[in-house]
Amino acid sequence: MLRSLGSFLCLWALRLTEAPAGSGAAARGLDVASYRERVRAMFYHAYEHYLESAFPYDELRPLTCDGQDTWGSFSLTLIDALDTLLILGNVSEFQRVVNVLQEGVDFDIDVNASVFETNIRVVGGLLSAHLLSKKAGVAVEAGWPCSGPLLRMAEEAARKLLPAFQTPTGMPYGTVNLLHGVNPGETPVTCTAGIGTFIVEFATLSHLTGDPVFEDVARKALKALWKNRSDIGLVNVALFPLSQSLIGDVDNAMRTFLNYYTVWKQFGGLPEFYNIPQGYTVDKREGYPLRPELIESAMYLYRATRDPTLLELGRDAVESIEKISKVDCGFATIKDLRDHRLDNRMESFFLAETVKYLYLLFDPDNFIHNDGSVFDVVITPYGECVLNAGGYVFNTEAHPIDPAALHCCRKRKEEQWEVEDLMREFYSLKKNKKFPLKRTSGHGEGESAKDPEDAPSEKSGEKRNTKKSTHSLLSCPSQSFNSKLAVLGQVFLDNT
Ligand SMILES: *[C@@H]1O[C@H](CO)[C@@H](O)[C@H](O)[C@H]1NC(C)=O
Ligand SMILES: *[C@@H]1O[C@H](CO)[C@@H](O)[C@H](O)[C@H]1NC(C)=O
Ligand SMILES: *[C@@H]1O[C@H](CO)[C@@H](O)[C@H](O)[C@H]1NC(C)=O
């Protein structure tokens, strides 16, 4: 059993051979423990102000010290931050939040929600927390992890997204109304990026609940995406150092990383776009909403290389986020990196991803880094299974999913290997893409919903739809794994 678990983890976990700890960093005098504590303080500064001033709204508005709904009406920041609480070791707050969410979150609401964002943030966040809840000391019900309140919530949220997959190709619509389904006049998604990532949450959901519908629709979308791969290669897939390190290309990943780090040092953050010949930001894309990608890359690369430069990026990130974006009530999106003007928004991914990766970078002994030497054995209705052995798969929103859980709730083992094949196809698909340094159009595509100046919710939804129809493939209606890696912080040559 452990052997098969081992090979399973190797394949799923996308982990690198880890370098020995203890080299470099100390020599350069970087106090890892003190940065770890600063990141912890950063988390609580943002989290407690969210609770005090913004909950139950989706997000904190750090400049006005109040809240707003942005991607729905889910208390999104609370869902998104839940597993970070456990990574920081706060089990009592984790337990409290699990109860709060069960009582307070309702998906039967008349809200137009992004299918992609709802999946990665809400379904992914709930699934991750469900699988971690025993570790967090929650008194789990009999049958866990094949049942449980957070799993039921994840399932309910995912069911609300299913109508979006009723398209001729199986590629989902971008927006769905949680109460009424797909809105009349909704155009199918033309942006293919991100569709492949549904398999992570939806296959997990099917394997835990036993209902194949989620995996089926995600699989169909993935197959359609696979057929369409030539288009994707042209448009959406770039190699951020993260994806390079995930496929084991550490040297190139390190080189790419250092290029981005140079840009970071110039601005104290990573502008959404950057123009190499001019060595400067691109008009209207000079913001930095505290995105995680560079820090995420540093965390993975550090696990692989122990190169102290990676800790230095972490240090610089802590210093500049505190210096530029910290306000009395939280951390604010940087509207313009040139003059460090702020915007009244704190995206939920700041606590779900940015702070989490920073903490993991500075916390070498975190349970997330478990190499399989410790694990839990649980008894399920289907027999014994091993959990928490490490090898966590981070979804697009940095929610760790324990891949071993896929083995817990089904009798027919062979089905699992099929999902694994699909995941392998998906990652080799990414691996085969070139790094497109050129973009022909630098403005407006892709990230309209994340523009700091965008009003949240329905307004930006309409805006997205308009752009979608005019820009076709280049205008993703929502942030996606690949476009996140490609569009955000994309370094490109401006040949216009
Ligand atoms: C856990 O989080 C709560 C809420 O932010 C906080 O009051 C408490 O001090 C935290 N506990 C620990 C051990 O950090
Ligand atoms: C959702 O979008 C549809 C179509 O654009 C619109 O008619 C409807 O009013 C929107 N619903 C909400 C709650 O904003
Ligand atoms: C890929 O998708 C686009 C947009 O949906 C479509 O126009 C195109 O024909 C597809 N290409 C292939 C090879 O299926």
Side-chain angles (χ1 to χ4, degrees), residues 110-112 175 177 183-184 186 458 462 465:
D110 183 15
V111 159
N112 294 332
T175 307
N177 186 288
N183 290 309
E186 184 72 21
E458 273 63 61
E462 281 163 24
N465 292 346

Side-chain angles (χ1 to χ4, degrees), residues 189-190 192 227-228 230-231 473:
V189 174
T190 48
T192 45
K227 284 204 195 106
N228 206 298
S230 54
D231 297 42
L473 278 169

Side-chain angles (χ1 to χ4, degrees), residues 40 43-45 47-49 51 85 88-94 96-97:
R40 181 196 298 279
F43 177 88
Y44 285 112
H45 178 67
Y47 179 76
E48 286 179 357
H49 279 293
L51 284 184
L85 281 167
L88 265 59
N90 196 333
V91 292
S92 57
E93 182 66 5
F94 185 103
R96 189 188 73 84
V97 171

